[in-house]
Every structure is written in C-alpha cells, then in structure tokens.
Amino acid sequence: MSAEASIVRRAVCPGSFDPVTNGHLDIIGRAASLYDEVVVAVLINKSKSSLFTVDERIEMLGEVLAVYPNVRIDSFYGLLVDYCRTNDIPVIVKGLRAISDFEYELQMAQMNRGLAGVDTLFMPTNPEYSFLASSLVKEIATYGGDVSTLLPPTILERLHERLGR
Ligand code: ADP
C-alpha cells in the first residue's frame, strides 16, 4: 500500500442540531460519500436556549445516522478550530441554503483558515430544503403546523412529544 492510500480523509459537520432536520441529513449523507470519516459535532452553547439537551440531540443524531458506518457523533465546546486541531480534522463541511448564509459563512471560513489552516467546503443545499432551519421547524410545530416532510419520522415523534402534542 502506498503512503497516500493510508491517509484518512476526515471532515466535520458542526451545528446545533436542535433537532436534526432533513436538511442536515442531506449534507451529512453527501459528506459521508466524499470523506472516509465524518464527525457530526454538536456545539455546546450554554448561552443559547435549546429545546433538546446535548445528550438528547446526540442520541437522535445517532438514531438517524446509524445507516452510515463512517459517520460518528460527538460534541464540542469552544472554538471549532480547536476541536479540529485536537481531533486531526482538516476540513469543515457546511451546507449553504441561500446568499444570506454565504456572507456569514464566508467570514467564518476565512477566519478559521487564518486561525488554524482549517479549510471549509461549502455544499449547496438540495433546493427542497433551502428554507429549512431547526428554529423554523420548532416555531411551526409549536403552533400546530405540519412539519412531517421536514424531519425523519422518529425525530418528528420526539418533537411532538417535547411540545406536548
Ligand atoms: P439551523 O438551526 O439553522 O438548522 P444548525 O446550527 O443546526 O442550524 O445547522 C448546522 C449546519 O447545518 C449549518 O451550518 C449548515 O451548514 C447546515 N444546515 C442546516 N440546515 C440546512 C439545510 N436546510 N440545508 C443544508 N444545510 C443545512
């Protein structure tokens, strides 16, 4: 085996995943076909209120991502580039929904490359999910709207349970 063949191409898909949506799954699934190993990293953000705890979000991600043998779930606190450095991950994969995502994401990507040499790969979202965000799903579901096409069935069930529906 050549030295090149033994290099593990590893990437991280970071986010809050509160809860995981079909938009996230689209990006993670596509990343899993491009990299040897994909780490889905749940950001621990104590200043942001969430509907599900970090452990619950990790459990839900584990359920819906079990079909991918090269995807694992983890959590991180602090700077993403520090997490990348510690775990030997050279690439961040981000889904882009619209131009509005791009401006902020470009700034972050340039900062992360400048800070630690970590590159970012932008993946255009499937147009079917370009409007989809966890925050919107929670808001619609809170008022009884139908979000069944936006989440995997097990996640939908957990969301309804949490909202007392
Ligand atoms: P949100 O609350 O907006 O869903 P997250 O922090 O959970 O945000 O999202 C994590 C990452 O997942 C985002 O930075 C983005 O790269 C990707 N993502 C989120 N929603 C979508 C979507 N609908 N299509 C493609 N990528 C998405």
Side-chain angles (χ1 to χ4, degrees):
M1 211 200 307
S2 73
E4 263 174 72
S6 64
I7 294 172
V8 175
R9 292 172 312 143
R10 198 176 281 132
V12 62
C13 293
S16 305
F17 307 105
D18 184 41
V20 59
T21 67
N22 289 341
H24 296 128
L25 293 180
D26 172 50
I27 298 298
I28 297 164
R30 284 156 66 195
S33 69
L34 293 175
Y35 293 93
D36 297 320
E37 192 180 311
V38 172
V39 182
V40 176
V42 180
L43 170 67
I44 303 172
N45 186 348
K46 295 198 172 97
S47 63
K48 201 174 154 189
S49 68
S50 59
L51 186 61
F52 295 95
T53 66
V54 170
D55 286 345
E56 286 169 334
R57 284 179 260 160
I58 290 175
E59 194 185 317
M60 290 188 280
L61 282 162
E63 276 170 28
V64 293
L65 293 170
V67 288
Y68 300 107
N70 61 334
V71 173
R72 66 184 172 86
I73 328 291
D74 198 5
S75 59
F76 73 103
Y77 178 77
L79 288 181
L80 178 59
V81 288
D82 287 340
Y83 178 82
C84 289
R85 204 177 293 153
T86 312
N87 292 277
D88 202 15
I89 299 175
V91 181
I92 300 164
V93 174
K94 283 288 186 102
L96 282 186
R97 288 168 284 203
I99 292 287
S100 48
D101 274 349
F102 181 72
E103 281 191 39
Y104 174 71
E105 293 294 349
L106 178 66
Q107 191 181 18
M108 285 290 292
Q110 288 168 330
M111 179 67 87
N112 288 337
R113 181 152 169 79
L115 275 176
V118 176
D119 250 315
T120 300
L121 181 103
F122 291 128
M123 218 177 245
T125 185
N126 181 333
E128 213 181 317
Y129 305 130
S130 60
F131 60 90
L132 181 51
S134 298
S135 51
L136 197 56
V137 167
K138 286 183 281 190
E139 197 176 332
I140 296 168
T142 301
Y143 295 106
D146 181 5
V147 292
S148 59
T149 57
L150 310 176
L151 306 165
T154 55
I155 308 299
L156 180 70
E157 212 172 287
R158 300 271 287 252
L159 179 63
H160 283 164
E161 213 174 278
R162 181 55 46 96
L163 294 173
R165 309 203 145 263

